[in-house]
Amino acid sequence: MAAAIDGVFPDTLQELVKKSKVLVVGAGGIGCEVLKNLVLSGFTDIEIIDLDTIDLSNLNRQFLFHREHVGKSKAKVARESALSFNPDAKITAYHDSVTSTDYGVTFFKKFDLVLSALDNRAARNHVNRMCLNADVPLIESGTAGYNGQVELIKRGLTQCYECTPKDKQRSFPGCTIRNTPSEPIHCIVWAKHLFNQLFGESLEDEDISPDAADPDAKEKDEAGGDAEPKADGEEKEKAEESKEEKEEESKEEKDGKEATANGNVVRINTRQWAKDCNYDAGKLFNKFFNEDITYLLRMSNLWKTRKAPVPVQWDNLLPDGSSGDQKDVAKQHHKVWSIEECGHVFANALKELSASFLKLEGEDTLAWDKDDQPAMDFVAACANVRSHIFNIERKSRFEIKSMAGNIIPAIATTNAITAGISVMRAFKVLEAKWEQCKAVYARLRPNARNHFLVPDASLPGPNPNCYVCASDPAITLKIDTKRLRIRELRDEVLVKTLNMLNPDVTVQSNGSILISSEEGETECNEGKLLSELNIVDGVILKCDDFFQNYELSIIISHFDAERDQTLFEVVADASQLKPKEEEQKKEAAEEEEKEEEQKTAKKRSANGEGDSKDDGPSTSKRSRPTEVDDEDDDDCLVIEEDEDEADVVVVATDKLSVQSPPKVGSKRKPSEVIEDEDITEILDSSDDEPAGPTKSKRSRLDESLSNPVEVISID
Amino acid sequence: MGVEMDTKEAAVELTEAENELYDRQIRLWGLESQKRLRTAKILIAGLCGLGAEITKNIILSGVNSVKLLDNKPVTEADFCSQFLAARESLNTNRAEASLVRARALNPMVDISADREPLKEKTAEFFDQFDVVVVNGETNEELLRIDTICRELGVKFIATDVWGTFGFYFASLQKHSYVEDVIKHKIVSNPDKKKKYETVSIPTQREVDYPAYSVWLDFDITAPSYLRKLKRNGPGVLLLSVLQKFRSTHQRDPNYKTRAADLKLLRGIRDELLPNSALSDEALGTIFAQISPAVAVVGGVVAQEVIKVVTKMEAPHRNLFVFDPETCAGYFETIEAK
């Protein structure tokens, strides 16, 4: 209530604080701190919105909440607690999603300032667009572990949140997951896919069986010119054999596939087979960890350069009568279980999961949730057995949970510091001292100049090619028009990737409506391929999201996607569309540049100008952390380096890697690491609800419709 | 961590409840650190807004006990940032007024209040703690406590916020800690692009942190220091002016006598360092304690306490300054000549 006491603030600031109306988006780690700072500073007109409820694991930092509040609305409890600090404040709390249509541009226009303390990118993108539209300054903030950042977004003056491409989720080629895992994460992803194959929503790109079409398994005879491949007869025979089997398998798969109403393919064979076996632990174990591995071993080319996997037999694993007394193994979260212990955990989890699965009605399935004990046990056990088979280091359940659940560590101090800087910036914004609103980064370790709360050197202006804040924004969409359907164009490209809520799409040349925001109006188009509707190379689409007041032109650029390649890629800047060779040359040049930079850095420290050991934020675009998510929520993935994108030097001093903005769009077809969602989206809505039994989920279509709401889980 | 550390504290396992509550931070600093925190006993002297912020963060981290020490009453100015004291507690003892809300932050931490004057506390008292954090005291008193703490081997941090400006000085004596040293390995494949791999190697270090007296003896007008002062802004100079004001007038500048105190401050500034970069405008933002700035400094100080207790990562050595104009937070290394 500083502003209520004369003489504390300089006069002008005192008046501004007293009369300003502010919106806080998110009542999580940063939001709680921001709200406290606002009421104590003397802001009296505050609104706060958060759709989340309080979880026990929030209490180590979200200090407005206590044990008795677990399960209650974050926004409402935060309001109550903050009012006790300053009973004179007027706070309106909304237990709701900020992307709900109740909060349109008119809503945002009420405020002098918006402070965003969100934990996921989809909601951030949305708030960014709303603030740009309403022309309200936005102070955007985020933390992850020891790292935090605060930046001002103001229309026409600064970069918007979407001016710089954001890091993509790390993803792995399907054959790495299915055939040749080499890291624990590969086995964890596989184990989650296995869960889905048995009990969850089964996705086409989440196959767990050996992939006989792995290019690595084929003879590499092209390189040898006309020389015969050096494989001996036996191997050739095997290759033949596997080819046959492949054909057989794909036939089998075809039979086993069943198109559902929403057009997705559900593989019922593994699931049905497991059910027919009554979920017999031994039978299932032997199929996944013995027979399938034996099959993989026959693809001998795979094991010429790799260490071959060693199948495990259920019967060899468990000496008679040893089950039962090891029930508590699963509770030892920090211990690395032995293979025998993994077997026990597997059997117990299987028992529990199959029981809950069989209780479900109709087409319902279980949803994997890191906080659901048997689901997590199952993944930890299966991942470790597979790691053992492939001679990969095994991990504790605790560590596997981090990786499988994308948990971002979070502490009170970073949140307090970041929120403090947010509100310090709010003062400058009210005073319209824009030049003093440079972004600030908080780091664990100091930079070479001994700064660890580091303001940016400049306030970067808007990116003229930004596909959100530029006038007449346009993007190029590289897309396989022969394989992608209109429904996927809407759900995967426009909604999930470009973060629109409910777009209308017309073809520019003739004005025909391709996708309508009116329910049912263009339903007949949904199942059609783009090429069938003559959406081919060179066509320009006009997209309009009424609610976000956002229009975007999309220039279609067709390409034939290869195996394991994504079917589309958004290119925000048309100049990025270049022949491949040129691109590679450029990358090589950048790499040299990088080495140069490293050398210079070393020289600098040798010259005694300080030790540049840190990952302290630099102003260079390359190492500028483009994204830090507000802690907590689990589903924001720690941004990791795609191992093939080696043109980035990761200089991490703590557990979060910070890296340069990557190219938009991933070149490989992913079986995504963790969720099949965009990096920060929240799908496994574990923190939306108190821990409970594994929830059931309906069809995929439902899910994608409800996504924009679920996603806005705010920490 | 892979490095030998004294593990007397680490013997006891965390309970399931602790594992759940501290999950998100254990994932950052590890189980060992959490176990060390659980044994730590902390003194916070001075329950102004800054004291409240530090207290909050320390309690949330899950230390063993926190003692809140203050003999002053809650004032109107406290409502600018001291959120642990309720409005109704005006004029009652500040430490005691903070107890209820402090305890609600984390029922697993033992929290007590002490209303005796800090001046009367002797070595026996300070010996109970692992880390002593003092704010709002004069240089003379800070010097006395530092001397006691150094004799006892207790880690000492002096800190303050005036308005939106803040600092701390860490007198940690010989402090050993482990830090992950990140090395870049270039994994070269002749036929492929270069790959970089980072390897983190836990490394044990021991660093000596000088006494508070070194700061008092430090000459900010020394020509050798002027260049640095220019580069980092006038923070250190402002700190000297404010500490001088406090020892001269035995109080801090007060918003009720804003104009008169600003005049006094300008006088001290011109006497200490004529023609300095310290603007009148900067002097106008040092009244009471402003919540967001206190949150930043309180967050930084608490993080330093956590580093000290967990013996993980290097505490900044040794004078921290928060510049409210730019929101830069940096440290100066102040050493004996």
Side-chain angles (χ1 to χ4, degrees):
Chain A
M1 56 166 268
I5 307 173
D6 292 340
V8 170
F9 281 126
D11 294 347
T12 42
L13 182 58
Q14 181 184 11
E15 281 314 303
L16 289 164
V17 168
K18 270 185 179 171
K19 67 170 214 254
S20 295
K21 186 176 178 69
V22 296
L23 172 68
V24 181
V25 187
I30 300 177
C32 281
E33 287 279 340
V34 163
L35 190 62
K36 169 208 66 187
N37 296 341
L38 289 174
V39 295
L40 292 171
S41 297
F43 285 86
T44 50
D45 195 354
I46 303 168
E47 303 199 358
I48 185 160
I49 179 165
D50 193 324
L51 63 54
D52 215 355
T53 53
I54 297 156
D55 186 78
L56 184 65
S57 67
N58 299 146
L59 303 185
N60 78 322
R61 61 196 182 282
Q62 301 177 16
F63 78 107
L64 299 179
F65 313 141
H66 307 134
R67 205 162 283 256
E68 66 269 24
H69 298 133
V70 168
K72 293 187 174 162
S73 153
K74 283 189 176 180
K76 298 213 158 130
V77 176
R79 175 183 174 273
E80 294 297 318
S81 299
L83 281 178
S84 74
F85 301 160
N86 182 358
D88 303 328
K90 191 182 113 243
I91 306 174
T92 310
Y94 304 92
H95 182 204
D96 205 348
S97 162
V98 74
T99 57
S100 148
T101 45
D102 293 340
Y103 313 103
V105 175
T106 331
F107 173 81
F108 278 83
K109 276 194 171 144
K110 292 193 297 191
F111 301 99
D112 298 292
L113 172 66
V114 174
L115 295 120
S116 127
L118 285 159
D119 68 347
N120 70 89
R121 197 176 288 163
R124 282 191 167 104
N125 288 344
H126 180 80
V127 170
N128 176 50
R129 291 171 195 190
M130 300 310 279
C131 288
L132 288 170
N133 265 318
D135 197 14
V136 176
L138 166 66
I139 296 175
E140 163 62 42
S141 59
T143 66
Y146 296 112
N147 295 336
Q149 81 176 64
V150 175
E151 65 181 318
L152 166 71
I153 293 167
K154 179 165 165 54
R155 187 168 86 187
L157 178 78
T158 71
Q159 282 185 349
C160 85
Y161 185 70
E162 295 168 89
C163 273
T164 47
K166 302 286 188 272
D167 299 293
K168 275 250 165 170
Q169 186 169 350
R170 190 182 178 190
S171 63
F172 307 100
C175 23
T176 305
I177 300 302
R178 294 167 64 184
N179 293 358
T180 52
S182 59
E183 292 174 34
I185 185 70
H186 299 151
C187 299
I188 294 166
V189 170
W190 179 88
K192 282 181 74 178
H193 291 180
L194 176 60
F195 175 93
N196 283 338
Q197 293 291 324
L198 294 175
F199 309 112
E201 187 195 355
S202 174
L203 301 175
E204 199 174 355
D205 56 9
E206 289 194 352
D207 206 330
I208 46 98
S209 60
D211 180 4
D214 190 335
D216 270 15
K218 293 192 184 122
E219 297 294 341
K220 286 180 181 159
D221 48 352
E222 299 96 333
D226 47 10
E228 272 290 296
K230 291 190 175 62
D232 58 32
E234 198 192 354
E235 279 187 346
K236 241 196 271 176
E237 207 174 284
K238 269 187 193 167
E240 289 293 310
E241 206 176 332
S242 73
K243 212 182 276 173
E244 263 166 48
E245 266 170 58
K246 184 200 156 196
E247 274 153 27
E248 216 170 284
E249 190 192 50
S250 59
K251 185 168 167 276
E252 211 176 77
E253 273 181 15
K254 228 176 257 168
D255 295 341
K257 281 176 186 176
E258 198 178 77
T260 59
N262 56 48
N264 285 313
V265 169
V266 175
R267 230 165 269 263
I268 55 165
N269 50 357
T270 306
R271 183 177 305 198
Q272 191 58 44
W273 171 81
K275 196 178 170 189
D276 294 344
C277 302
N278 284 320
Y279 300 100
D280 180 279
K283 276 188 189 163
L284 265 64
F285 190 96
N286 281 337
K287 156 112 178 81
F288 303 126
F289 301 115
N290 192 296
E291 289 152 34
D292 282 355
I293 304 300
T294 309
Y295 182 91
L296 276 177
L297 279 171
R298 283 158 64 192
M299 295 159 68
S300 53
N301 277 328
L302 290 178
W303 317 115
K304 280 182 177 165
T305 53
R306 298 179 179 89
K307 199 168 166 21
V310 182
V312 182
Q313 265 281 349
W314 176 253
D315 296 332
N316 301 343
L317 203 60
L318 303 170
D320 290 335
S322 67
S323 55
D325 56 335
Q326 292 199 33
K327 260 204 156 169
D328 276 352
V329 171
K331 288 203 168 164
Q332 298 176 11
H333 293 184
H334 294 281
K335 186 190 165 190
V336 178
W337 301 332
S338 70
I339 290 307
E340 287 74 20
E341 287 168 333
C342 288
H344 283 289
V345 177
F346 169 82
N348 288 333
L350 188 67
K351 211 181 287 169
E352 286 190 60
L353 291 170
S354 56
S356 340
F357 181 68
L358 292 172
K359 274 186 217 148
L360 296 177
E361 285 175 20
E363 295 282 293
D364 285 0
T365 56
L366 300 179
W368 190 82
D369 178 350
K370 66 177 181 356
D371 291 318
D372 180 49
Q373 185 239 322
M376 187 59 230
D377 286 348
F378 180 85
V379 164
C382 292
N384 274 336
V385 174
R386 191 163 168 92
S387 287
H388 172 79
I389 288 168
F390 285 91
N391 196 33
I392 298 166
E393 183 197 2
R394 280 173 288 130
K395 296 274 179 188
S396 69
R397 186 190 188 276
F398 179 82
E399 291 169 298
I400 293 173
K401 185 173 172 180
S402 271
M403 292 189 260
N406 296 328
I407 298 175
I408 293 200
I411 53 175
T413 49
T414 311
N415 285 321
I417 293 166
T418 304
I421 293 170
S422 252
V423 177
M424 289 296 286
R425 282 291 182 256
F427 295 156
K428 297 288 181 200
V429 166
L430 296 182
E431 295 174 307
K433 293 180 177 169
W434 308 112
E435 277 311 306
Q436 291 180 42
C437 291
K438 291 163 186 126
V440 182
Y441 304 97
R443 292 292 178 264
L444 172 65
R445 294 181 182 182
N447 65 14
R449 291 182 52 197
N450 290 350
H451 281 59
F452 58 94
L453 306 179
V454 195
D456 237 342
S458 63
L459 197 66
N463 170 6
N465 295 324
C466 175
Y467 70 86
V468 173
C469 72
S471 57
D472 288 331
I475 53 148
T476 300
L477 179 64
K478 286 172 74 180
I479 188 164
D480 191 335
T481 56
K482 293 174 192 157
R483 284 170 63 189
L484 220 86
R485 295 173 196 281
I486 300 296
R487 181 188 307 107
E488 290 153 331
L489 175 69
R490 184 191 61 204
D491 296 347
E492 303 297 322
V493 183
L494 302 181
V495 175
K496 274 191 195 161
T497 309
L498 295 169
N499 270 122
M500 298 184 190
L501 286 185
N502 195 4
D504 288 288
V505 181
T506 55
V507 181
Q508 193 193 35
S509 57
N510 58 15
S512 64
I513 300 170
L514 197 64
I515 296 171
S516 167
S517 56
E518 290 290 325
E519 209 175 325
E521 201 175 22
T522 46
E523 210 177 311
C524 54
N525 288 348
E526 286 189 4
K528 297 216 170 92
L529 294 169
L530 270 70
S531 55
E532 286 180 275
L533 290 171
N534 218 18
I535 309 303
V536 293
D537 196 71
V539 167
I540 298 176
L541 301 177
K542 288 281 180 192
C543 306
D544 181 2
D545 190 292
F546 175 76
F547 182 62
Q548 291 180 339
N549 193 12
Y550 175 43
E551 287 176 38
L552 176 70
S553 301
I554 294 182
I555 305 153
I556 300 289
S557 162
H558 171 79
F559 77 114
D560 290 310
E562 282 164 33
R563 189 191 147 72
D564 264 357
Q565 199 177 9
T566 12
L567 294 178
F568 69 89
E569 182 181 337
V570 169
V571 186
D573 185 348
S575 65
Q576 286 176 25
L577 272 186
K578 282 192 198 113
K580 220 176 171 179
E581 274 171 43
E582 208 178 303
E583 202 175 293
Q584 278 169 351
K585 253 186 250 161
K586 198 179 144 216
E587 275 173 26
E590 273 173 14
E591 220 172 277
E592 274 164 37
E593 199 181 297
K594 180 120 349 111
E595 276 168 45
E596 239 2 86
E597 270 174 37
Q598 278 198 324
K599 272 183 219 155
T600 332
K602 261 184 215 141
K603 249 186 242 160
R604 219 183 293 135
S605 54
N607 287 343
E609 282 204 39
D611 186 359
S612 55
K613 63 191 172 184
D614 66 309
D615 68 337
S618 109
T619 48
S620 88
K621 198 181 170 197
R622 188 172 303 279
S623 60
R624 184 177 164 204
T626 49
E627 168 96 347
V628 185
D629 287 296
D630 184 10
E631 29 136 316
D632 185 36
D633 280 48
D634 326 315
D635 311 84
C636 332
L637 178 65
V638 172
I639 298 148
E640 275 183 298
E641 162 119 326
D642 183 318
E643 43 178 30
D644 279 359
E645 306 276 323
D647 57 335
V648 171
V649 185
V650 179
V651 191
T653 49
D654 40 63
K655 278 147 197 155
L656 181 87
S657 326
V658 174
Q659 68 196 87
S660 67
K663 291 151 205 88
V664 178
S666 149
K667 282 177 201 127
R668 284 185 306 178
K669 173 61 195 168
S671 89
E672 265 102 335
V673 192
I674 312 255
E675 304 297 345
D676 55 333
E677 289 300 314
D678 184 27
I679 186 165
T680 49
E681 290 186 21
I682 286 168
L683 232 212
D684 99 35
S685 46
S686 47
D687 284 6
D688 295 348
E689 293 171 42
T694 306
K695 286 156 290 210
S696 67
K697 214 195 255 177
R698 296 227 180 74
S699 78
R700 198 170 181 205
L701 189 65
D702 282 356
E703 179 206 307
S704 60
L705 281 177
S706 59
N707 242 352
V709 183
E710 278 186 23
V711 157
I712 315 309
S713 176
I714 296 159
D715 174 47
Chain B
M1 312 298 111
V3 171
E4 276 259 310
M5 297 187 290
D6 65 303
T7 46
K8 73 177 162 63
E9 310 99 332
V12 197
E13 291 301 318
L14 295 179
T15 64
E16 208 165 309
E18 287 173 303
N19 268 315
E20 261 191 280
L21 177 61
Y22 303 128
D23 183 86
R24 293 304 184 271
Q25 63 200 46
I26 292 173
R27 287 178 196 278
L28 188 65
W29 53 52
L31 266 181
E32 283 311 305
S33 292
Q34 195 60 49
K35 288 178 190 167
R36 282 165 193 269
L37 279 166
R38 189 168 64 169
T39 67
K41 298 179 169 64
I42 314 292
L43 172 70
I44 313 282
L47 264 292
C48 52
L50 177 59
E53 282 286 344
I54 300 168
T55 299
K56 171 200 70 186
N57 297 332
I58 295 289
I59 289 173
L60 289 173
S61 79
V63 293
N64 179 285
S65 68
V66 179
K67 179 155 318 262
L68 310 177
L69 176 79
D70 205 328
N71 65 333
K72 295 187 197 71
V74 176
T75 65
E76 180 194 49
D78 284 323
F79 300 142
C80 296
S81 48
Q82 217 288 23
F83 58 91
L84 292 178
R87 280 284 177 94
E88 307 78 67
S89 64
L90 193 69
N91 297 325
T92 67
N93 178 273
R94 234 170 18 176
E96 288 170 353
S98 305
L99 270 180
V100 173
R101 287 183 183 170
R103 285 182 176 140
L105 291 169
N106 187 349
M108 292 197 228
V109 180
D110 174 20
I111 300 158
S112 55
D114 188 331
R115 55 184 300 162
E116 283 180 35
L118 185 60
K119 277 192 173 63
E120 291 168 19
K121 296 293 184 187
T122 57
E124 201 186 344
F125 175 77
F126 293 106
D127 202 19
Q128 306 168 58
F129 306 102
D130 297 296
V131 184
V132 167
V133 180
V134 177
N135 63 68
E137 281 303 328
T138 60
N139 278 332
E140 296 72 47
E141 180 62 10
L142 292 172
L143 199 57
R144 182 187 79 93
I145 298 166
D146 186 43
T147 310
I148 294 173
C149 286
R150 291 185 83 87
E151 269 167 29
L152 297 168
V154 172
K155 313 287 183 184
F156 172 60
I157 296 176
T159 179
D160 259 305
V161 165
W162 290 267
T164 52
F165 168 77
F167 96 108
Y168 78 69
F169 183 93
S171 172
L172 307 177
Q173 305 143 55
K174 268 202 185 358
H175 179 66
S176 56
Y177 59 90
V178 173
E179 84 180 338
D180 282 345
V181 176
I182 308 291
K183 297 232 162 97
H184 300 280
K185 222 167 70 184
I186 296 175
V187 196
S188 284
N189 248 345
D191 54 331
K192 275 190 181 172
K193 279 202 295 186
K194 244 175 221 167
K195 277 192 177 183
Y196 294 92
E197 232 173 53
T198 54
V199 211
S200 85
I201 303 153
T203 311
Q204 182 89 47
R205 301 196 193 279
E206 190 178 79
V207 178
D208 207 357
Y209 288 72
Y212 192 71
S213 57
V214 170
W215 160 240
L216 296 185
D217 297 339
F218 185 76
D219 180 11
I220 51 168
T221 61
S224 59
Y225 187 67
L226 282 179
R227 219 189 63 188
K228 231 178 180 178
L229 202 61
K230 204 167 178 184
R231 201 173 56 188
N232 277 339
V236 174
L237 180 55
L238 180 55
L239 175 61
S240 307
V241 170
L242 290 163
Q243 288 192 328
K244 182 84 190 287
F245 186 104
R246 186 183 282 170
S247 51
T248 309
H249 302 282
Q250 291 296 304
R251 63 171 179 93
D252 281 330
N254 192 321
Y255 57 88
K256 289 175 183 160
T257 49
R258 187 180 174 99
D261 283 357
L262 276 174
K263 203 171 160 195
L264 291 173
L265 285 166
R266 285 196 294 268
I268 295 173
R269 173 193 62 188
D270 297 339
E271 179 195 333
L272 270 180
L273 239 183
N275 309 319
S276 73
L278 186 55
S279 67
D280 286 2
E281 204 187 358
L283 291 176
T285 60
I286 51 84
F287 293 93
Q289 293 191 325
I290 305 303
S291 174
V294 167
V296 174
V297 178
V300 170
V301 170
Q303 191 54 50
E304 296 306 290
V305 173
I306 291 166
K307 280 188 209 165
V308 169
V309 168
T310 59
K311 301 190 167 98
M312 281 270 289
E313 295 294 337
H316 303 302
R317 188 170 175 270
N318 47 1
L319 180 80
F320 164 75
V321 172
F322 176 65
D323 178 353
E325 277 307 290
T326 59
C327 282
Y330 58 93
F331 61 88
E332 304 267 12
T333 302
I334 307 290
E335 283 174 300
K337 272 167 257 166

